[in-house]
């Protein structure tokens, strides 16, 4: 499985214009399609200043999920209550603290039957998080494979805790 990691990319502008940047989460030794894609729109102005925004309406492929930032999800949650927030950590982790209104649905014990019982509407918006983001990616992919259409991996509770301080 590997261990969680974060990458920092530095960009600089070469000329004025617009472009898209697509990042894929994929094991290079496997022939499977990427399990996750993130797309960013980049605009470079005449003075060299860049504006970068994440494109959130992007769906990478059939049976896939989208990753969005915890900050964006918190903003969406303030504006609407039409979502399900899933904490896919273990029970002991959940009991130590979780995001308000989160439902525990442990990744390692998750089954399609339980998902259908908990979330009967396959079009329901589902936000998924864990501790660091590894298990939430796995759980998000399971849900997407089972036919859920609006699955968003939002990373880890660590990101949530950083935003609350």
């Amino acid at each position: 499985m590997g261990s969680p990691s974060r990458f920092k990319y530095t960009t600089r502008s070469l000329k004025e214009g617009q472009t898209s940047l697509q990042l894929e989460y994929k094991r290079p030794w496997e022939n499977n399609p990427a399990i996750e894609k993130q797309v960013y729109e980049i605009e470079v102005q005449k003075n060299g200043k860049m504006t970068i925004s994440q494109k959130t309406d992007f769906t990478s492929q059939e049976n896939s999920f989208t990753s969005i930032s915890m900050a964006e999800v918190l903003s969406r949650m303030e504006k609407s209550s039409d979502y399900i927030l899933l904490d896919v950590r273990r029970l002991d982790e959940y009991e130590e603290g979780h995001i308000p209104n989160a439902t525990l649905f442990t990744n390692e014990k998750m089954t399609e039957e339980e998902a259908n019982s908990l979330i009967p509407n396959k079009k329901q918006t589902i936000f998924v998080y864990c501790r660091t983001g590894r298990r939430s990616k796995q759980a998000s992919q399971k849900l997407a494979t089972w036919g859920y259409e609006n699955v968003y991996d939002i990373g880890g509770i660590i990101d949530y805790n950083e935003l609350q301080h």
Side-chain angles (χ1 to χ4, degrees):
M1 291 304 219
S3 61
S5 60
R6 293 180 186 230
F7 296 93
K8 181 178 181 179
Y9 298 95
T10 304
T11 61
R12 64 185 174 94
S13 59
L14 298 176
K15 63 180 183 176
E16 178 184 4
Q18 295 179 339
T19 191
S20 294
L21 172 66
Q22 179 174 303
L23 303 174
E24 296 183 349
Y25 180 76
K26 179 181 178 187
R27 294 178 178 141
W29 61 88
E30 293 180 348
N31 291 327
N32 301 329
I35 62 170
E36 175 189 353
K37 293 182 184 180
Q38 293 182 3
V39 176
Y40 297 88
E41 298 295 329
I42 302 171
E43 181 176 352
V44 179
Q45 299 172 358
K46 284 183 182 183
N47 62 5
K49 182 179 175 186
M50 290 190 303
T51 304
I52 303 174
S53 59
Q54 187 173 4
K55 190 173 175 185
T56 58
D57 60 346
F58 176 76
T59 303
S60 60
Q61 63 194 46
E62 189 175 328
N63 297 329
S64 65
F65 62 93
T66 303
S67 290
I68 58 176
S69 71
M70 183 67 72
E72 183 170 340
V73 168
L74 294 175
S75 174
R76 287 185 182 194
M77 288 170 34
E78 287 178 4
K79 297 173 187 168
S80 171
S81 61
D82 187 24
Y83 62 86
I84 292 178
L85 178 62
L86 294 181
D87 184 324
V88 296
R89 298 175 300 157
R90 297 182 319 265
L91 176 61
D92 62 306
E93 293 174 294
Y94 179 84
E95 289 176 341
E96 286 178 14
H98 55 272
I99 298 174
N101 301 315
T103 300
L104 178 64
F105 195 29
T106 304
N107 177 50
E108 291 80 6
K109 298 178 181 178
M110 185 183 286
T111 67
E112 185 172 3
E113 294 76 24
E114 290 174 312
N116 290 334
S117 177
L118 180 64
I119 313 164
N121 179 1
K122 300 279 186 172
K123 295 185 183 295
Q124 175 68 55
T125 297
I126 305 167
F127 298 130
V128 183
Y129 76 94
C130 61
R131 187 176 76 81
T132 61
R134 182 181 58 84
R135 289 176 284 180
S136 63
K137 282 182 180 27
Q138 293 171 347
S140 294
Q141 185 59 54
K142 287 178 192 177
L143 292 166
T145 299
W146 296 333
Y148 290 91
E149 298 176 16
N150 297 303
V151 180
Y152 296 89
D153 168 35
I154 64 172
I157 197 166
I158 290 172
D159 299 325
Y160 174 80
N161 291 335
E162 287 176 2
L163 291 170
Q164 300 305 304
H165 290 97

